[in-house]
Amino acid sequence: MPDIAIQNINHNYGSVHALQNLSFEVGKGELFGLIGPDGAGKSTLFRILTTLLVPTSGSASVAGFDVVKDYRQIRRRVGYMPGKFSLYQDLSVEENLQFFATIFGTTIQENYHLIEDIYVQLAPFKNRRAGNLSGGMKQKLALCCALIHEPEVLFLDEPTTGVDAVSRREFWEMLQRLKAQGITILVSTPYMDEASLCERVALIQEGKILSINSPAAMVKSFDKPLWAVKSDRIYQLLLDLRTFDLAERVEPFGEYLHIVGRPGISQKTILDFLKNKNHEGIKIQPAQPTIEHVFLELA
Amino acid sequence: MLWRIFSAFVKKEFYHILRDRRTLFILIGMPIVLVLLFGYVVTNEFKDASIAVLDNSRDDLSHELRQHLEASGHFHIVADLRSYGDLEGQFKTGKIKMAVVIPARFEDDFFDKKQTTVQLIADGTEPNYATTLVNYASQMILRFQQIKSGAAAAPYRVKVETRMVYNPQLRSAYNFVPGVIAMILMLISAMMTSLTIAREKETGTMDLLLVSPLPPLLIILGKVVPYTVLSFLNAVMILVMGFYVFHVPVLGSLPLLLGICLLYLAVALALGVLISTKSETQQAAMMSSLFALMLPTMLLSGFIFPIKSMPALLQHISSIIPATYFIDLLKSVMLKGNDLSFIWQPTLILTFMLVVLLGLALVSFKVRKE
Amino acid sequence: MSSTADHIIEADKLTKRFGDFTAVDAISFKVKKGEIFGFLGANGAGKTTAIRMLIGLSRPTEGEATVAGFDVYRQADKIKENIGYMSQKFSLYEDLTVRENIRFYGGIYGLSRKKIKEQTGRIIEEVGLENSAGNLVGSLPLGWKQRLAFAVSMVHSPSIVFLDEPTGGVDPAARRQFWEMIYQASAAGRTVFVTTHYMDEAEYCDRVSIMVSGKIEALGSPAKLKEDFSASSIDEVFVQLARGGAVISD
C-alpha cells in the first residue's frame, strides 16, 4: 500500500487553478521528488498533504489516512518542513528542538538516534539563536525538528532553496540516510540537478504534472538529437541559430548553446551554417540530455 | 502530558517576550510611562491664574465671592467685564483662561430662593489646565457657600455650572487611572496576543503547530495565558501606582476590583484572538488592533471625552465598547465604593460580551484552510 | 593602475573586518569591460560584504578598489550613479504598474522626461511586455518580473550591473530567457557582475571567482577551472574548494 496516494486533486484560489487534476502515488520508503519552478503548485500540494489545506476536489491519503477526514491521525504521523524557514528565530537551536519534541509528546533523548547524524553538526551552536544560523545550518535544524517525533512520512518543501552548493549536497546525503531507515520522503525542489538524487520524480508546472518517472528513464525518453555549440560571440550565435532550419530549439546551457535538432542535423550542417554567418572559435559537440532538457521539452 | 506540553508552550512564550526589547518595553515600560504622563499632566499645580469676572449682580455677596476667589492666591482677576460680548475677546487674546459669570440678583436669589447659579467658562484648548482650574474654582465656590450658609437649617445653595469654550470637554482628575488601566489592558491583552499569533502565521511556525497533534484550544491557551498573567500584573501595578503616587483611592472591595479587571482582560484577550484569526500578518493585526480597539478605547469609552456630549451615533458605538463598561465599573468601585449590587448591570454586559467573543474566536480559529 | 581603460572593476587587497572577524580578506581581482563575471561563494563566505563595498554601500577596512573608474572610498556617490543593481530583495513595486515602475526609477536617476519615455518604450519592448505595460507588476509571472527588474536596473544606462542572485525560483525556460538578456547586455558592451546559487549558471559566465572564508580561492573561465580541478562541472569545483577550505559557513 502506498504511503501517499493522490487522486484527481484540484485546488483553486479564487479563479487561479493552482493544482489541476493531480494523481500519483508514493510507495513506502520511497524518496520522491517534486520538481518544478515557483508557482507550479508544489507548496499547495504539500499543504494539502499535511492537512493544512482542504483541496477543492479530489482525494488524497497519507500513511493510509484520508487528508480531509482523518487529518488528526495524519498530524501525528508526518514531519513537515515548510518552504520558508519556520522555526522560532529568537529561540536557540536546543530550545527549538526541545519545544517541538515536547509538543509532539516526545523527548530529544527518545528519538536521538534519528537525528544524531545531523545534530552532531549543530551541537557546537546549540546555544545560538536560530535566527543567527547560516542558511545551511537553519535547514539542518528544521530537518531535525521535523524528524524529532519519528514521522512515517516526511514532507520537505524546497529544503535546499537559497542554500549553497555544499550544504545542498550534505542535505541530500542526509536524506539518503533517512530513506535507508525506511522513512517515506516527498521532497520538492526548483533545482533540476537534484532530480537525479530521487528514486522517482514528477515534473510539475502551472499545477499540472508534465511527467512522472525515474530520473534515468526520464532522461532516456529524450530521443531528439542534441548538440552543444559555442563561438566567440555567444549572443550573436544565439540569434543566428534561432534562424537555423534544422534547429527546433536553441537554449543557453552553461558555456555552450544547446540545439535540439530536427532530423538531418549533423556536425557538418551546423558548421556550414555558422561559417556562413562568419562565426569564429566555433566548437561543436554532441550533448547528453538531462532532466532539464526533458523539462524544457515538456514545458 | 497535556500539562507538560502546555508548560513548554508558556515557557517558549516567555522566551519570546524576554528576548524582544520592544515587547518588553510595551509590557513594562508603557504602563509606567502612561500613568506618570497622565497623572502629572492632570494634576498640574497652578498658581495665580488669570481670570475674568462678569458680575451681573454687583451686590455685596458677589463682591465677597470675588474676594474669596482672589484670597486663595490661586486666582488673579485681571478683567472686570461688562457683558458676555467681552468674553470672547479676552479668551482669544489668551489673557484669561477662565471666566466667572455671576448672575443678576445673585444675593437676592441666594438668600430668598436659596438657590442660584454661578457659571464657570474655561478655555478648553488646554483641556487639562482648564479642568484643573474649573475643579478648583468649583470647590472654592462650594466652600464659599458653606461659609455663607453657616448654621442655617436649610442650606443655601450655589449651583456651579461649567462650560468649556473651544473644546467642550470635561473630566475628573481621577478619571485617568481607570482609563489607563482600560487602555493598557486592551493594548497588552488584545494587541499583543493578536500580534504574537499573527507573527507565528507570518513566520510559518503556526503551520508547524497545526501539523502537530496539538489541540487548537491548547495553542490558543498557550498564547493567551502568559499575556493574561502579565496584563493582570500590569493592572495591579497601575492601581498601586495610582494609589501611592497620585492618591487615587480604592474605596470599594479590592477582590471585586481585581475580579472586574480579570473579566475585562478576558474580553480583551478574546478580541485579540478574534483579530488574529482574521489577520495573516503582524502588520494587519497591528492595524486592526489600533483602529478597532485602541482608538475606540481611548476616544469613545468616556476616558477622554465624556460620552454624554457625543453625537448620538458615537454614543451608540460607545455602548458596544467593552472599555465603556469597564471604566464605569472601575470608577464605581474605586471612587464611589459601590458593591456588586450597584454594578451588576455593566458586569453582566461585559460577561455577555465575553461569551459572544469567545465563541466567535473559537469558531473562526481555523485548523485548516479551504 | 595602467589598465583602467580595459578594466571596469579593479580590486586590490580589498579587506573588510568587523571587530576581529575578517569578512573579506584581501581579495584582488579585475573585471574586464563587457565581461560576464560570476561571483560565487558559500553562504557566509563574504560575497555580500564584498559586493556592498564595490557598490559603495560599505567602506572597506583596507585595500583599494575602483568601479567604473571611481574610487570606493572617495567617490561612492559617483559609483552609485554609474552602476545598476538588482537583487532578489530589491525588486519592483508590486502595487505600481510596469510603466509606473520604469518612470519611478528613471526619475530617481534624474533622467529627463523625454529620456524616460524613450527608455520606457525600449524596456517594454525588450522584455516583451507590450500587452501588459499598464498591469500591476504584482500580477506578472516571476520570470517576467525578474527580467523587468533587470531591465529597470539598467534604465540609466550604467556601464556595469550587479545582479545578486537574480534568478531564484523560476523555471528553466525563464532562467534561460534571463540569461539571454545578460548575453545581450554583455554583447552591447555592458559589464555584468552576477552572484548565483545555481552552479550550472556559473558556467554561463565568461569568468568566475569562487570565494571561501573571505578569500578568493579560484578565478578563471569555467573551462579553465574545470580543467585545473579535474572536475566535470563548476559544482564539483565549488564543492572541492569549500570542503577543502576551512570550516564552512559557521
Side-chain angles (χ1 to χ4, degrees):
Chain A
M1 184 168 158
D3 244 1
I4 304 173
I6 299 165
Q7 278 131 30
N8 304 319
I9 285 276
N10 280 284
H11 195 79
N12 303 337
Y13 296 109
S15 61
V16 181
H17 303 296
L19 294 177
Q20 299 177 39
N21 243 12
L22 250 56
S23 300
F24 66 87
E25 291 183 347
V26 179
K28 229 177 185 46
E30 192 175 11
L31 174 53
F32 190 96
L34 209 53
I35 315 242
D38 280 13
K42 302 191 301 278
S43 297
T44 305
L45 183 60
F46 273 98
R47 293 178 64 79
I48 289 173
L49 294 176
T50 52
T51 76
L52 287 169
L53 191 66
V54 178
T56 310
S57 70
S59 66
S61 71
V62 172
F65 295 97
D66 185 85
V67 291
V68 179
K69 284 205 306 286
D70 309 322
Y71 71 96
R72 284 177 192 283
Q73 301 297 326
I74 293 178
R75 288 181 180 193
R76 311 174 180 275
R77 290 175 169 82
V78 301
Y80 174 42
M81 188 171 153
K84 210 172 54 177
F85 178 67
S86 302
L87 296 176
Y88 297 102
Q89 314 250 4
D90 53 348
L91 297 193
S92 72
V93 168
E94 203 177 16
E95 286 161 355
N96 265 298
L97 194 57
Q98 189 83 57
F99 177 74
F100 283 101
T102 311
I103 65 169
F104 277 97
T106 179
T107 58
I108 298 181
Q109 291 72 31
E110 206 172 318
N111 289 316
Y112 188 70
H113 63 279
L114 267 175
I115 58 163
E116 189 173 3
D117 286 346
I118 314 166
Y119 195 69
V120 288
Q121 302 177 49
L122 283 165
F125 317 107
K126 68 177 183 189
N127 293 320
R128 193 184 282 197
R129 304 262 168 98
N132 298 335
L133 293 174
S134 71
M137 286 294 171
K138 277 183 184 165
Q139 307 296 66
K140 283 173 197 160
L141 176 58
L143 183 61
C144 280
C145 290
L147 275 172
I148 194 65
H149 60 292
E150 203 173 5
E152 293 167 35
V153 186
L154 200 50
F155 293 98
L156 309 172
D157 192 3
E158 299 208 4
T160 53
T161 295
V163 173
D164 65 66
V166 178
S167 302
R168 274 170 58 195
R169 205 170 267 235
E170 286 172 358
F171 198 87
W172 277 97
E173 286 164 7
M174 283 181 297
L175 293 194
Q176 304 293 354
R177 284 199 293 272
L178 290 174
K179 182 195 139 40
Q181 304 203 29
I183 299 177
T184 307
I185 304 174
L186 181 65
V187 56
S188 73
T189 176
Y191 297 93
M192 300 285 150
D193 55 343
E194 290 181 349
S196 56
L197 302 166
C198 303
E199 282 171 274
R200 281 195 308 146
V201 295
L203 301 185
I204 172 170
Q205 191 177 34
E206 289 171 6
K208 280 179 275 198
I209 288 184
L210 305 173
S211 169
I212 297 184
N213 217 327
S214 72
M218 211 172 255
V219 168
K220 219 171 160 194
S221 70
F222 188 92
D223 53 3
K224 294 183 177 167
L226 193 65
W227 291 92
V229 183
K230 73 172 176 181
S231 84
D232 291 346
R233 292 175 300 146
I234 195 104
Y235 186 59
Q236 193 55 46
L237 180 68
L238 180 71
L239 296 181
D240 288 341
L241 282 174
R242 290 255 158 96
T243 66
F244 183 36
D245 291 341
L246 294 174
E248 193 176 295
R249 285 204 329 272
V250 185
E251 269 131 8
F253 252 90
E255 7 171 6
Y256 291 87
L257 300 180
H258 281 191
I259 306 176
V260 178
R262 294 202 166 89
I265 194 166
S266 67
Q267 187 149 10
K268 184 168 180 317
T269 50
I270 301 172
L271 189 65
D272 290 347
F273 176 79
L274 291 182
K275 276 195 175 147
N276 237 332
K277 299 277 183 186
N278 301 318
H279 278 279
E280 281 165 30
I282 300 170
K283 219 169 150 188
I284 303 171
Q285 60 193 46
Q288 289 305 313
T290 63
I291 294 284
E292 197 152 353
H293 292 94
V294 177
F295 190 97
L296 286 167
E297 183 69 23
L298 295 172
Chain B
M1 187 69 234
L2 278 184
W3 174 249
R4 213 164 62 84
I5 296 178
F6 179 70
S7 61
F9 229 108
V10 172
K11 198 166 97 186
K12 176 202 73 124
E13 216 50 44
F14 274 110
Y15 283 143
H16 290 322
I17 294 167
L18 294 175
R19 287 173 187 179
D20 182 18
R21 289 213 186 100
R22 272 181 311 170
T23 314
L24 213 54
F25 172 76
I26 293 180
L27 285 178
I28 296 171
M30 197 89 119
I32 300 179
V33 170
L34 278 180
V35 171
L36 292 179
L37 213 67
F38 277 102
Y40 280 114
V41 171
V42 170
T43 55
N44 212 349
E45 279 290 312
F46 70 97
K47 227 178 128 185
D48 218 12
S50 301
I51 62 169
V53 173
L54 172 56
D55 188 348
N56 294 317
S57 189
R58 299 199 178 265
D59 48 34
D60 285 342
L61 193 65
S62 72
H63 190 69
E64 278 179 54
L65 176 60
R66 293 166 60 166
Q67 278 183 330
H68 177 75
L69 286 174
E70 269 201 311
S72 67
H74 286 288
F75 295 111
H76 180 51
I77 300 174
V78 294
D80 194 352
L81 306 179
R82 296 272 150 203
S83 73
Y84 264 105
D86 299 340
L87 269 175
E88 197 178 346
Q90 294 287 334
F91 276 120
K92 275 208 170 137
T93 54
K95 264 195 216 143
I96 58 159
K97 290 292 169 196
M98 186 179 73
V100 181
V101 181
I102 302 171
R105 297 176 42 80
F106 180 59
E107 187 171 351
D108 294 353
D109 283 353
F110 185 73
F111 290 109
D112 296 349
K113 294 187 190 163
K114 303 192 170 169
Q115 171 141 1
T116 181
T117 303
V118 171
Q119 204 180 25
L120 299 174
I121 302 173
D123 177 353
T125 49
E126 288 176 60
N128 301 315
Y129 192 56
T131 312
T132 318
L133 288 185
V134 166
N135 283 327
Y136 202 84
S138 306
Q139 278 178 16
M140 289 191 70
I141 293 168
L142 272 159
R143 175 89 195 113
F144 178 75
Q145 168 208 311
Q146 282 166 3
I147 295 167
K148 285 290 141 195
S149 303
Y156 306 107
R157 290 179 60 197
V158 180
K159 226 172 100 195
V160 180
E161 198 182 279
T162 54
R163 213 180 96 208
M164 293 280 174
V165 288
Y166 303 130
N167 189 2
Q169 50 178 282
L170 183 66
R171 59 182 178 184
S172 109
Y174 288 156
N175 204 355
F176 81 93
V177 168
V180 169
I181 295 181
M183 220 170 85
I184 289 288
L185 294 194
M186 189 54 80
L187 182 80
I188 291 171
S189 323
M191 192 161 103
M192 299 303 267
T193 9
S194 70
L195 274 180
T196 163
I197 296 180
R199 179 165 80 158
E200 299 240 9
K201 286 193 195 176
E202 208 173 301
T203 55
T205 41
M206 185 54 86
D207 283 354
L208 291 184
L209 297 181
L210 290 177
V211 167
S212 78
L214 282 184
L217 188 63
L218 197 73
I219 300 180
I220 297 184
L221 280 180
K223 283 267 149 197
V224 157
V225 167
Y227 286 95
T228 314
V229 174
L230 287 170
S231 313
F232 190 70
L233 288 179
N234 265 316
V236 172
M237 189 169 82
I238 299 169
L239 286 175
V240 169
M241 273 176 79
F243 187 76
Y244 285 104
V245 183
F246 301 110
H247 313 291
V248 179
V250 180
L251 301 176
S253 124
L254 194 61
L256 179 61
L257 185 66
L258 296 180
I260 290 168
C261 288
L262 268 181
L263 175 63
Y264 175 71
L265 211 83
V267 174
L269 289 167
L271 267 170
V273 174
L274 190 60
I275 285 181
S276 71
T277 61
K278 306 284 178 207
S279 333
E280 289 301 313
T281 63
Q282 293 187 74
Q283 200 187 6
M286 181 85 156
M287 288 294 185
S288 316
S289 313
L290 271 181
F291 286 104
L293 301 180
M294 288 311 293
L295 289 182
T297 300
M298 264 173 77
L299 303 177
L300 301 178
S301 65
F303 171 26
I304 293 184
F305 303 110
I307 297 171
K308 289 198 180 72
S309 64
M310 287 176 197
L313 175 67
L314 291 184
Q315 288 202 24
H316 284 305
I317 296 179
S318 100
S319 71
I320 56 164
I321 294 171
T324 307
Y325 301 98
F326 179 58
I327 292 178
D328 191 24
L329 283 170
L330 282 184
K331 280 193 204 160
S332 288
V333 177
M334 285 170 75
L335 307 177
K336 297 183 195 151
N338 287 339
D339 62 30
L340 199 58
S341 62
F342 286 91
I343 56 165
W344 62 271
Q345 208 177 357
T347 310
L348 204 65
I349 296 176
L350 272 187
T351 314
F352 175 71
M353 285 181 169
L354 175 64
V355 172
V356 172
L357 289 170
L358 220 51
L360 276 177
L362 282 177
V363 168
S364 20
F365 187 82
K366 286 203 190 69
V367 246
R368 53 207 322 213
K369 287 213 188 93
E370 292 297 320
Chain C
M1 296 192 183
S2 56
S3 50
T4 309
D6 316 321
H7 290 112
I8 190 130
I9 300 178
E10 299 194 31
D12 187 26
K13 298 201 178 70
L14 196 62
T15 302
K16 179 80 183 187
R17 288 190 204 96
F18 299 104
D20 39 0
F21 174 70
T22 308
V24 175
D25 193 358
I27 57 171
S28 303
F29 63 95
K30 290 176 182 178
V31 178
K32 287 195 229 62
K33 261 190 189 142
E35 190 170 32
I36 301 173
F37 190 84
F39 199 62
L40 313 181
N43 297 329
K47 269 180 319 188
T48 309
T49 313
I51 293 181
R52 287 176 61 82
M53 287 193 280
L54 293 176
I55 61 179
L57 289 181
S58 167
R59 210 181 146 79
T61 314
E62 261 167 41
E64 302 293 326
T66 59
V67 173
F70 299 107
D71 185 273
V72 290
Y73 291 95
R74 286 172 285 113
Q75 293 167 301
D77 290 339
K78 281 276 173 206
I79 291 178
K80 288 178 197 167
E81 281 170 33
N82 283 281
I83 60 165
Y85 178 68
M86 169 203 167
S87 82
Q88 240 174 341
K89 281 177 218 139
F90 162 84
S91 55
L92 305 164
Y93 293 94
E94 304 246 316
D95 52 351
L96 297 188
T97 65
V98 171
R99 220 183 272 282
E100 286 161 351
N101 264 294
I102 302 174
R103 211 178 295 149
F104 172 73
Y105 282 104
I108 284 191
Y109 283 105
L111 302 192
S112 68
R113 221 172 257 272
K114 186 167 151 274
K115 185 88 183 151
I116 290 177
K117 212 171 162 188
E118 213 175 277
Q119 287 286 32
T120 307
R122 190 186 58 73
I123 289 174
I124 287 172
E125 194 197 319
E126 200 176 285
V127 184
L129 285 170
E130 288 89 345
N131 296 323
S132 2
N135 294 3
L136 295 185
V137 163
S139 68
L140 299 178
L142 184 60
W144 283 19
K145 273 188 214 166
Q146 289 176 348
R147 275 180 292 139
L148 180 63
F150 181 30
V152 168
S153 74
M154 298 185 291
V155 70
H156 55 303
S157 311
S159 47
I160 173 163
V161 244
F162 289 85
L163 307 176
D164 197 2
E165 312 220 354
T167 58
V170 297
D171 64 84
R175 273 170 62 201
R176 287 192 166 68
Q177 286 173 331
F178 194 91
W179 275 93
E180 284 178 26
M181 262 182 88
I182 294 183
Y183 281 165
Q184 192 186 358
S186 159
R190 195 158 285 158
T191 309
V192 181
F193 188 98
V194 58
T195 72
T196 176
H197 272 316
Y198 293 91
M199 287 303 135
D200 57 328
E201 276 192 354
E203 314 208 5
Y204 293 68
C205 301
D206 293 322
R207 283 193 309 148
V208 296
S209 73
I210 300 178
M211 251 181 115
V212 182
S213 309
K215 293 195 176 84
I216 290 185
E217 295 288 351
L219 193 146
S221 71
K224 171 96 173 21
L225 289 185
K226 282 188 272 186
E227 198 184 304
D228 290 354
F229 287 80
S230 352
S232 68
S233 67
I234 290 291
D235 188 41
E236 264 178 51
V237 176
F238 186 85
V239 171
Q240 274 187 40
L241 273 173
R243 279 207 169 147
V247 193
I248 344 140
S249 23
D250 276 282

